[in-house]
Amino acid sequence: MSTPSSLATARRPGPHRSRTADDSGRGYWPTAVAVASASMMLPFSVTGAAVALPNMAAHLGSSVGAAQWMLNAFNITFAALPLAAGSLADRLGRRRVLLTGIALVGALSLLVALAPSMAFADAARAVQGCGAAAVLASGAVLAHSTSGRRRQLAFGVLGSSFGTGLAIGPLVAGALVEAAGWRSVFALVAVMSVPAWLCATRAPESRTPDRPALDLAGAVAFTAGLACLSFAFVRAGSAGWGAVSTLLPMFAAVALVALFAVVEQHRGDRAMFDVRLLRRPEFLAVVCQPFTVTLGFVILLVYLPAYLQGVAGRTALAGGLLLLPMTAPVLLLPLAAGRLAARTSVRAVLTCASALIAVGSLLLTTLHGNGSWLQLALPLLPFGAGVGLAFGVMDNAAVSTVPVENAGAAAGIFNTMRITGESVAVAGASALLAALTAARLNDSGLPTGAAARIAGQAVQGQVAEAHRPALTEGLTSAFHTLGLVLAALSALGAVLTHLALAPDRAVPKPGQGDGVRPGGVPKSGAGRQIRPSGRFWRAPRK
């Protein structure tokens, strides 16, 4: 789970806007508090659910697949719909969409807390993800109701709210599970939504009615593609990667994502996802950062608590405490990263962040179920430090590598790719960990079907006592393999970032003309240059 860009929904301004709050107006603080408190619910809805899942699945008697969908259903709609929610907010009213999002997150979380079955909880979580997407689009409420220093302060509070939710989410969820059971985790989100909604009612309304209509075809294709991919990962964990029930949805996902790209290319300036910006190598490098930076972070955030509860036999509270070396830097380092980038360059900070994550991933091979807190902190601390540094500059890098007029679209693409990467990571990591663990169980003589089922339960924190030694060895080995994969991805990301954000890349060569590609998209570096330090600056007009 990651912090949102302050420009994620601050699109090209339109001529028609409803009233906005003056910086000295009484609507400023209720607006800032509403958006900040609503935003804190989002990371907690992910981390809290992950901590509660082992107890929840055991209490409801859930199958492995149904339990996995409790995580996947929320992530799919949350990843696929922020741009669509932003478009609706522009046309229908930003406060109205924010209020609707808060109400959905709170009400559906209450339904999950009261769920009689995992299937009921899965359906509720899918709708809750829609509300979370609407809340994520709430940055536009701040962008259109504040200005100057107060806008910077408001977005600083917003970022801190996300960081706080990430840092204390596992700890608070673990304490709640221990004290009052898994239902209390979801009940807390419902309680948090009440003051957020009340404050949001005092936010000023604003809209841009001349914005293009909702890109329904693009939204449907993208959502369906993510759903098919998640379904393929769930089936891979039980039926195997070569099964027809795995390959068919995998091919469907590829086809739907390709269809989405065609639809967005055809819509041109009316697209919610301007794929033309991906032609810029430096922007493409930043957009790929979530797959090398936050991918491993969200995997550990979701599945390490289950490992600590299941294989290591820790309590939910102890599992949350053990994650602090990774989560605390994400709260503390983003501001320092911004200052460091100002003194050096965004390129240097992002490269260093990826290198730290690669080191932490390699050290993940030292993970053991009976290891001490210090042994667990060894890989988690550099991992968290790298993610914290990256969170402090990734949003700025995304909007700094495109012309100013494309900043809103760039931030929207970046946030979509970031949350999509997290959604794919949660689904894919479960399948990978289960498959590797099941292979180890097969070697011990268990039938394939039983091995897949027991391994899937272990990934979700439910360890069968009869197979504890084999599961401990198998799942620990699976995490070691995962660490090597993440290390390779992060190292590759560090190299590509260092090359793509090189100072001479954005400098136009003589004879390049006006620097505009066919279709009106500026070429890499048109009108922009990078100093030798790696900082972007706009070239003076002649």
Side-chain angles (χ1 to χ4, degrees), residues 12 30 35 62 97 125 140 145 187 209 265 317 402-404 443 453-454 489 530:
R12 288 185 289 269
V35 173
S62 168
V97 170
R125 288 276 290 174
S145 62
Q265 181 73 28
L317 177 58
V402 299
V404 173
D443 294 340
R453 176 177 55 80
I454 294 172
L489 282 175
I530 307 180

Side-chain angles (χ1 to χ4, degrees), residues 340-514:
L340 182 61
R343 294 191 175 190
T344 57
S345 68
V346 171
R347 176 197 187 200
V349 173
L350 283 177
T351 303
C352 180
S354 294
L356 281 171
I357 294 170
V359 171
S361 299
L362 280 176
L363 291 175
L364 196 61
T365 56
T366 65
L367 176 69
H368 291 287
N370 58 355
S372 65
W373 183 89
L374 185 60
Q375 289 174 318
L376 184 61
L378 182 66
L380 295 187
L381 191 57
F383 211 110
V387 173
L389 288 175
F391 278 8
V393 298
M394 282 197 304
D395 296 303
N396 179 43
V399 298
S400 296
T401 52
V402 299
V404 173
E405 60 269 21
N406 296 117
I413 291 173
F414 177 71
N415 273 324
T416 299
M417 294 295 287
R418 176 160 54 185
I419 306 172
T420 299
E422 294 172 0
S423 175
V424 172
V426 170
S430 174
L432 176 63
L433 291 172
L436 292 174
T437 306
R440 186 63 63 93
L441 293 177
N442 281 332
D443 294 340
S444 66
L446 272 179
T448 302
R453 176 177 55 80
I454 294 172
Q457 291 173 341
V459 171
Q460 296 171 359
Q462 303 176 68
V463 175
E465 289 299 328
H467 305 284
R468 177 173 288 276
L471 283 172
T472 299
E473 182 182 357
L475 189 54
T476 301
S477 176
F479 268 101
H480 293 172
T481 302
L482 179 65
L484 294 176
V485 172
L486 294 176
L489 282 175
S490 299
L492 178 62
V495 172
L496 293 180
T497 299
H498 187 76
L499 294 176
L501 297 183
D504 59 347
R505 176 169 289 280
V507 179
K509 296 180 180 179
Q512 279 186 322
D514 60 2

Side-chain angles (χ1 to χ4, degrees), residues 4 26-43 94-103 105 131-132 134-142 145-146 153-155 157-159 161-162 189 191-204:
R26 58 186 178 181
Y28 170 77
W29 281 113
T31 302
V33 172
V35 173
S37 56
S39 298
M40 192 181 296
M41 297 189 301
L42 304 189
R94 298 177 180 94
R95 183 184 65 179
R96 179 181 299 178
V97 170
L98 174 60
L99 286 169
T100 302
I102 294 173
V105 172
V135 172
L136 189 65
S138 63
V141 175
L142 290 179
S145 62
T146 60
L153 175 62
F155 278 115
V157 172
L158 176 62
S161 298
F162 266 83
V189 176
V191 172
M192 292 170 63
S193 69
V194 175
W197 192 89
L198 291 175
C199 288
T201 59
R202 299 184 58 191

Side-chain angles (χ1 to χ4, degrees), residues 53-444:
L53 182 58
N55 295 73
M56 183 181 183
H59 183 263
L60 296 179
S62 168
S63 67
V64 173
Q68 185 61 39
W69 276 110
M70 199 278 292
L71 300 176
N72 292 355
F74 178 90
N75 291 331
I76 289 170
T77 50
F78 183 33
L81 298 180
L83 287 177
S87 178
L88 286 176
D90 287 341
R91 295 175 62 84
L92 303 179
R94 298 177 180 94
R95 183 184 65 179
R96 179 181 299 178
V97 170
L98 174 60
L99 286 169
T100 302
I102 294 173
L104 281 175
V105 172
L108 272 298
S109 191
L110 181 60
L111 288 180
V112 175
L114 301 174
S117 67
M118 189 61 81
F120 184 93
D122 292 346
R125 288 276 290 174
V127 182
Q128 187 186 25
C130 299
V135 172
L136 189 65
S138 63
V141 175
L142 290 179
H144 288 268
S145 62
T146 60
S147 62
R149 293 178 61 86
R150 284 214 165 185
R151 177 181 292 184
Q152 295 177 359
L153 175 62
F155 278 115
V157 172
L158 176 62
S160 297
S161 298
F162 266 83
T164 301
L166 283 172
I168 70 173
L171 180 61
V172 172
L176 286 173
V177 170
E178 291 296 314
W182 65 267
R183 296 184 188 273
S184 62
V185 174
F186 300 97
L188 177 61
V189 176
V191 172
M192 292 170 63
S193 69
V194 175
W197 192 89
L198 291 175
C199 288
T201 59
R202 299 184 58 191
E205 182 62 283
S206 63
R207 59 174 58 87
T208 309
D210 60 344
R211 291 294 302 165
L214 175 65
D215 184 4
L216 185 60
V220 170
F222 192 55
T223 305
L226 276 183
C228 287
L229 186 60
S230 295
F231 183 79
F233 284 143
V234 172
R235 290 301 302 160
S238 57
W241 292 94
V244 175
S245 58
T246 300
L247 295 177
L248 285 180
M250 189 75 74
F251 290 144
V254 173
L256 286 166
V257 171
L259 176 62
F260 168 73
V262 171
V263 169
E264 298 307 288
Q265 181 73 28
H266 179 72
R267 286 180 63 87
D269 292 335
R270 297 176 295 113
M272 68 174 183
F273 191 103
D274 193 349
V275 296
R276 297 173 300 176
L277 291 177
L278 297 178
R279 299 171 183 170
R280 306 176 65 89
E282 63 273 23
F283 177 65
L284 183 60
V286 175
V287 164
C288 289
Q289 281 287 309
F291 294 95
T292 59
V293 172
T294 61
L295 186 140
F297 177 72
V298 74
I299 289 174
L300 296 182
L301 202 62
V302 170
Y303 293 113
L304 197 53
Y307 173 86
L308 294 173
Q309 292 180 54
V311 167
R314 315 260 186 174
T315 64
L317 177 58
L321 284 170
L322 289 170
L323 288 182
L324 280 178
M326 184 178 70
T327 57
V330 177
L331 174 62
L332 301 175
L333 289 183
L335 183 59
R339 293 174 178 173
L340 182 61
R343 294 191 175 190
T344 57
S345 68
V346 171
R347 176 197 187 200
V349 173
L350 283 177
T351 303
C352 180
S354 294
L356 281 171
I357 294 170
V359 171
S361 299
L362 280 176
L363 291 175
L364 196 61
T365 56
T366 65
L367 176 69
H368 291 287
N370 58 355
S372 65
W373 183 89
L374 185 60
Q375 289 174 318
L376 184 61
L378 182 66
L380 295 187
L381 191 57
F383 211 110
V387 173
L389 288 175
F391 278 8
V393 298
M394 282 197 304
D395 296 303
N396 179 43
V399 298
S400 296
T401 52
V402 299
V404 173
E405 60 269 21
N406 296 117
I413 291 173
F414 177 71
N415 273 324
T416 299
M417 294 295 287
R418 176 160 54 185
I419 306 172
T420 299
E422 294 172 0
S423 175
V424 172
V426 170
S430 174
L432 176 63
L433 291 172
L436 292 174
T437 306
R440 186 63 63 93
L441 293 177
N442 281 332
D443 294 340
S444 66

